[in-house]
Amino acid sequence: MERNLTLIALFAALIAALGLVPQFTLAFGVPITAQTMGVMLCGTILGAWRGGLAALLFVALVALGLPILAGGRGGLGVFASPTVGFLVGFPIAAFVTGWLMQAMSRMAVLPAAVIASVLGGMVVLYIPGTLGMSATLGKTIPEALALNLPFMPGDLIKAVLAGFVTSAVARARPDSLLSRA
Amino acid sequence: MLSLTSPVRTPFHPWPVGLKLALLALITFAIFLSDSLAVHAGALVGVALAYALCGRVFTRDALRLMRPIWIFVALILAWHLLTSEPELGLRIALRMVVLVALANLVTMTSRLSDMIALVTRLLAPLRRIGVNPAMIGLAAALFIRFVPVLTEKGAHLAEAWRARSPRRPGWRLAVPVTLLALDDAEQVAEALKARGGVPNE
């Protein structure tokens, strides 16, 4: 009980800490941050329920007014801005990533974590993300999806990195990889 | 860690948080229902007046918080000039600016402790399905304490890296930072258990 609570709180804090890492810019000028990698790690390391709850705690604290999104943003204004769908999608993405990780328990950690991160942290996250953009900007779904296109290469990189981090954690702390416990 | 609550006292600070949130929800809903440009422009004037009441320093902080929005405003205006629907573009842009500014106004004039108190009160019925609201408060407190801890430890790791290598640390630091989060979680769990566990009111 205590362990679940502290793991959820600490991984929510990890999402925030990764968002504070200075962002780097891809060749064609799209900024990417490590924040969504934190969401993927919640799933690949903590599993579906704990990972989803950690991301949910993070999103709830953004709403309450903590400046914990990449670039020091936060507050209720974020929920009225075009990126709202990605934010509310964080818990769903972490949950699905964790669920897939658990479902692929026969596979080695590295490929399983990469596949789970791509499907859960990218494909699933882009559904609410695109819907939110479509609603706030008054665009059709395909138009909104096109607006998100420049961010996909960065997210793919993050999914692969999340896989490597998960596999390193699996070697260093095999007992803490709860998605495989 | 700082919250986004403004240290500048404004006429809106004393308003109950519940009232501010209810008004925000109501206005957001109303603007989404309306398709009149006049209503949107009127709403912008209203929000601008509200900020005027809060003074210059407060408004400057608020504008800083709004920075990521202007890219989308420029994008929407350009898009609708190209499709020759400038009025629609103006309406969408106005709606976005008004709603974000209004929501930020609520965040900047409400204390974090009041927000947490309201959420704990709203979540009280969850007790019936076995969720302990005290646990949510404890998780929030641990989070607030550990974001600066993890960030600081991450900065130390980056410094140690730079002392050894001319290259940038980049993503490699994510591994030790994640391990730190795991280890801290195990230790805090032990400490909580030693002190009698999660309070059950």
Side-chain angles (χ1 to χ4, degrees):
Chain A
M1 175 63 114
E2 282 78 14
R3 187 161 174 249
N4 285 341
L5 178 79
T6 56
L7 281 169
I8 289 166
L10 266 289
F11 267 69
L14 180 69
I15 303 178
L18 288 176
L20 298 174
V21 173
Q23 54 191 29
F24 57 99
T25 308
L26 285 184
F28 32 92
V30 180
I32 75 171
T33 73
Q35 196 135 54
T36 45
M37 191 176 83
V39 176
M40 296 168 185
L41 290 176
C42 284
T44 58
I45 296 175
L46 296 187
W49 284 108
R50 278 172 285 232
L53 285 174
L56 184 64
L57 177 64
F58 175 82
V59 174
L61 290 168
V62 171
L64 293 189
L66 291 179
I68 47 182
L69 283 175
R73 292 177 307 122
L76 291 165
V78 184
F79 290 83
S81 70
T83 48
V84 54
F86 288 98
L87 187 60
V88 299
F90 277 3
I92 306 164
F95 181 89
V96 175
T97 306
W99 181 77
L100 288 169
M101 189 74 190
Q102 286 162 321
M104 293 184 287
S105 57
R106 295 271 184 80
M107 203 187 286
V109 172
L110 177 62
V114 172
I115 294 171
S117 299
V118 170
L119 292 179
M122 231 185 118
V123 177
V124 169
L125 187 58
Y126 273 83
I127 297 171
T130 304
L131 289 177
M133 210 163 255
S134 155
T136 49
L137 297 180
K139 296 280 154 284
T140 64
I141 306 282
E143 285 168 346
L145 197 59
L147 286 174
N148 286 327
L149 218 51
F151 294 96
M152 290 188 189
D155 283 338
L156 204 56
I157 295 173
K158 278 182 273 187
V160 174
L161 293 183
F164 278 108
V165 173
T166 307
S167 122
V169 168
R171 267 176 280 131
R173 301 282 188 282
D175 292 338
S176 291
L177 199 72
L178 295 172
S179 59
R180 285 293 168 89
Chain B
M1 181 176 35
L2 291 173
S3 83
L4 292 169
T5 313
S6 173
V8 180
R9 294 295 296 178
T10 70
F12 302 110
H13 274 81
W15 291 23
V17 175
L19 175 67
K20 281 186 275 196
L21 288 173
L23 280 174
L24 175 65
L26 204 68
I27 295 172
T28 303
F29 188 60
I31 287 187
F32 259 100
L33 283 185
S34 150
D35 51 9
S36 132
L37 188 60
V39 169
H40 285 68
L44 183 68
V45 173
V47 172
L49 280 175
Y51 273 101
L53 284 176
C54 301
R56 190 178 299 161
V57 179
F58 181 91
T59 307
R60 203 188 54 213
D61 289 345
L63 284 174
R64 197 185 49 75
L65 206 56
M66 300 243 339
R67 250 186 333 215
I69 291 302
W70 304 124
I71 306 164
F72 289 105
V73 170
L75 181 82
I76 280 301
L77 291 180
W79 181 306
H80 286 276
L81 278 177
L82 287 176
T83 58
S84 351
E85 305 160 300
E87 198 194 307
L88 178 63
L90 200 58
R91 212 167 60 213
I92 296 171
L94 275 175
R95 184 179 71 195
M96 190 161 61
V97 171
V98 165
L99 294 184
V100 173
L102 209 57
N104 283 339
L105 186 63
V106 174
T107 292
M108 290 178 65
T109 59
S110 306
R111 287 211 320 263
L112 183 63
S113 51
D114 292 343
M115 285 276 195
I116 291 182
L118 181 73
V119 170
T120 318
R121 219 166 43 235
L122 290 178
L123 292 183
L126 283 184
R127 198 186 294 277
R128 266 181 229 148
I129 58 164
V131 179
N132 180 356
M135 229 159 67
I136 299 166
L138 184 56
L142 280 175
F143 173 94
I144 290 167
R145 179 69 194 93
F146 272 93
V147 171
V149 170
L150 284 180
T151 311
E152 196 184 321
K153 286 179 179 173
H156 284 313
L157 286 167
E159 248 173 62
W161 175 283
R162 276 194 293 270
R164 288 175 278 131
S165 166
R167 287 184 301 151
R168 289 178 37 183
W171 69 274
R172 289 173 195 84
L173 285 185
V175 176
V177 173
T178 306
L179 290 177
L180 281 170
L182 274 174
D183 293 348
D184 281 348
E186 303 283 356
Q187 274 177 19
V188 175
E190 290 301 316
L192 274 177
K193 261 183 242 162
R195 284 161 181 75
V198 179
N200 210 348
E201 275 164 278

